[in-house]
Structure formats: structure tokens, C-alpha cells
Amino acid sequence: MTEHLADHYRYIIEELGEDPDREGLRDTPKRAAKAMQFLNHGYHQSLEEIVNGAVFASDTDEMVLVKDIELYSMCEHHLLPFIGKCHIAYLPRGKVLGLSKFARIVDMYARRMQIQENLTRQIAEAVQQVTEARGVAVVIEARHLCMMMRGVEKQNSSMTSSVMLGAFREHQSTRQEFLTLVHGR
């Protein structure tokens, strides 16, 4: 697959008016192909594989929050990165998820071409599916290079998206506790 992608990158370089055989670009098509495969490796992962049985019995029923999980994803509209952080909270119902699995879930979905709104929902639904929690909340804050490098070229803009499931959607006080913990207000 790498060679096939590299051929396409070579063609793109030529179409942009560059010489893909000049010294600085000679290996670029292959490097770009490998980079694109890495940036989108989430397509080759599954939730079951990522979680790998790391769900544990627990009497904890208070909110569990994991903040500031860094993420890197690709905008499906322009194939440019968006970069940010993800905050995930859940209200356990008899079981908890291993801490590192939250970051792995974020990475699995972030390493696919998509929009931030869908990424937020995918993460929330995955945590809900794995934990069967009473509620799940996810907030993503990200900066989009498709808005910063092209189009309107606004350098200081960011986007925030949220998905609230279960008790976080149904109870204002639960949602507010989550948002206060995330933003420290």
C-alpha cells in the first residue's frame, strides 16, 4: 500500500509544478505515504483490541474525570490536521475502565479522517459501550489548521465540541460539575 500511495504523492508533487526527482523531494512521496498511513492508523484498530479486557469491578459511583488528553486528527474536508485536547468523564455503574484506555480510545478515533463533532460523539459512545456507565461526558477543544493556514486564516480561533450522555444530559447539576472540573471555574 505504501508504494501505491507514494505514486499518488509523486503525481501531486508534479501537478503542483515541482520536480519530484530533485534532491530534497526524491524520497518525499514515500515519506508522505508513510506519514499518512500513520496519521490514519485508527482505521486498523478496534475498540475491543484497544480496551483489551481492562474493565474492572468497582464500587465507585462518583464521577471519574480524565482531563487534557492530547489529540491529533485529520479534517476530512481538507486533509489538514486539527490538534487539541479531550476531557472525558463518566459515572461508573459497577465497573471502571483502566486509565490508559481513555487515551487509547481517543487516539483510535482521532487517527481517522473526520470532523471534530463526530470524533466527540465516537469517543463518548465508545466509553459508554465499554463501561455501561450511568453517564458519559466528552469535551474536545481543538485548533484547526484548515482554518488557520487557508481560507479565513484565523490564527487564534479554536473549536469546542461536547457530547453528554445519560446523567450528564439529564441532570444539569451533573453536567455543571463536569464543566466546572474541566474548566476550573
Side-chain angles (χ1 to χ4, degrees), residues 94-105:
K95 52 188 171 180
V96 294
L97 180 61
L99 181 59
S100 71
K101 302 309 179 184
F102 292 97
R104 292 183 191 284
I105 289 169

Side-chain angles (χ1 to χ4, degrees), residues 66-153:
V66 184
K67 287 175 47 172
D68 298 325
I69 303 168
E70 62 195 47
L71 67 87
Y72 308 92
S73 194
M74 296 289 283
C75 164
E76 68 184 26
H77 297 146
H78 301 101
L79 297 184
L80 289 171
F82 61 95
I83 301 162
K85 56 188 173 180
C86 180
H87 315 289
I88 305 170
Y90 71 114
L91 296 167
R93 184 188 351 232
K95 52 188 171 180
V96 294
L97 180 61
L99 181 59
S100 71
K101 302 309 179 184
F102 292 97
R104 292 183 191 284
I105 289 169
V106 170
D107 283 347
M108 180 182 74
Y109 289 110
R111 296 303 186 157
R112 300 174 183 187
M113 291 180 262
Q114 62 191 314
I115 59 175
Q116 181 176 329
E117 298 91 333
N118 291 349
L119 174 59
T120 310
R121 177 153 300 280
Q122 289 168 345
I123 293 167
E125 289 175 350
V127 172
Q128 177 65 48
Q129 178 184 334
V130 169
T131 64
E132 299 175 355
R134 292 179 292 124
V136 174
V138 175
V139 168
I140 294 178
E141 303 166 301
R143 297 171 53 99
H144 293 249
L145 269 66
C146 57
M147 189 160 169
M148 297 168 67
M149 293 180 67
R150 55 158 305 284
V152 296
E153 297 183 60

